[in-house]
Amino acid sequence: MDDLSAELDKNMRVRLLKELLEMSMEEFTEWMEKLLKRMKFRIISSHSSGSTISVTGIYKGRNYFAYIDRKHPGDLTGPEELQVVVGHKYDGKLCKPLYICTSDYTPEARNYAEMVGISLVDSEKLSRLFEATGLLSEITSWKDRVIIE
């Protein structure tokens, strides 16, 4: 990737994260659920509280428990916070834990996640998922429409 592409990629990621942080929790929940559905994640249940969303679902035939944490850049997630996704069951089967945050993780959190099998999505991976599913252009055009209205 050349310097210009890297800079454009960074600017796109910064804009997306800014928009995700500025929208209401209801809007944030709608966009995150839309992202999961575009990835072929079948949502069984979803609950939002404060700045987080808990989602139980099925992806590629496997039960998942996803925890989505809306955080400001620099507000890193530590290993203690990751424990919320471990041990959930759906339909009598243990769920694969998935932790998604709009920021990043401490090195200790990454080590803990690897040790106990938690899949992590940080702000960079999240922006790439929005791009890969076509939602990046949708969310920026949605934001532009909201401003005009």
Side-chain angles (χ1 to χ4, degrees):
M1 183 183 291
D2 62 21
D3 290 342
L4 179 59
S5 294
E7 189 61 31
L8 289 173
D9 191 45
K10 180 182 176 194
N11 290 337
M12 172 269 307
R13 189 171 64 246
V14 168
R15 181 173 179 198
L16 171 66
L17 295 174
K18 181 178 184 286
E19 290 173 2
L20 290 173
L21 291 171
E22 289 178 353
M23 61 181 56
S24 71
M25 191 58 192
E26 183 179 326
E27 293 166 334
F28 178 73
T29 300
E30 287 174 20
W31 281 102
M32 295 307 297
E33 287 179 356
K34 197 180 287 192
L35 174 67
L36 291 172
K37 288 175 183 176
R38 286 270 176 100
M39 295 170 49
K40 308 293 186 219
F41 187 98
R42 186 164 57 97
I43 296 174
I44 304 300
S45 67
S46 177
H47 173 74
S48 63
S49 176
S51 65
T52 63
I53 309 166
S54 302
V55 181
T56 301
I58 300 172
Y59 179 69
K60 294 186 176 180
R62 185 165 184 191
N63 295 345
Y64 273 80
F65 179 78
Y67 192 80
I68 305 164
D69 197 355
R70 185 164 73 161
K71 292 184 162 206
H72 289 276
D75 186 7
L76 303 180
T77 300
E80 313 78 32
E81 295 167 271
L82 297 181
Q83 294 174 11
V84 70
V85 297
V86 177
H88 288 271
K89 289 185 176 184
Y90 171 70
D91 202 22
K93 298 177 186 164
L94 199 58
C95 294
K96 169 79 174 136
L98 170 63
Y99 199 106
I100 302 169
C101 77
T102 56
S103 184
D104 203 353
Y105 302 91
T106 65
E108 296 83 9
R110 288 187 181 281
N111 290 339
Y112 175 74
E114 187 175 327
M115 194 170 58
V116 298
I118 301 170
S119 295
L120 299 179
V121 174
D122 59 16
S123 62
E124 187 174 334
K125 284 183 184 175
L126 183 61
S127 63
R128 294 198 189 291
L129 288 171
F130 267 91
E131 185 174 27
T133 58
L135 284 173
L136 182 61
S137 59
E138 287 183 36
I139 200 167
T140 52
S141 64
W142 169 82
K143 182 64 174 183
D144 292 341
R145 278 195 312 275
V146 169
I147 291 170
I148 292 169
E149 292 172 358

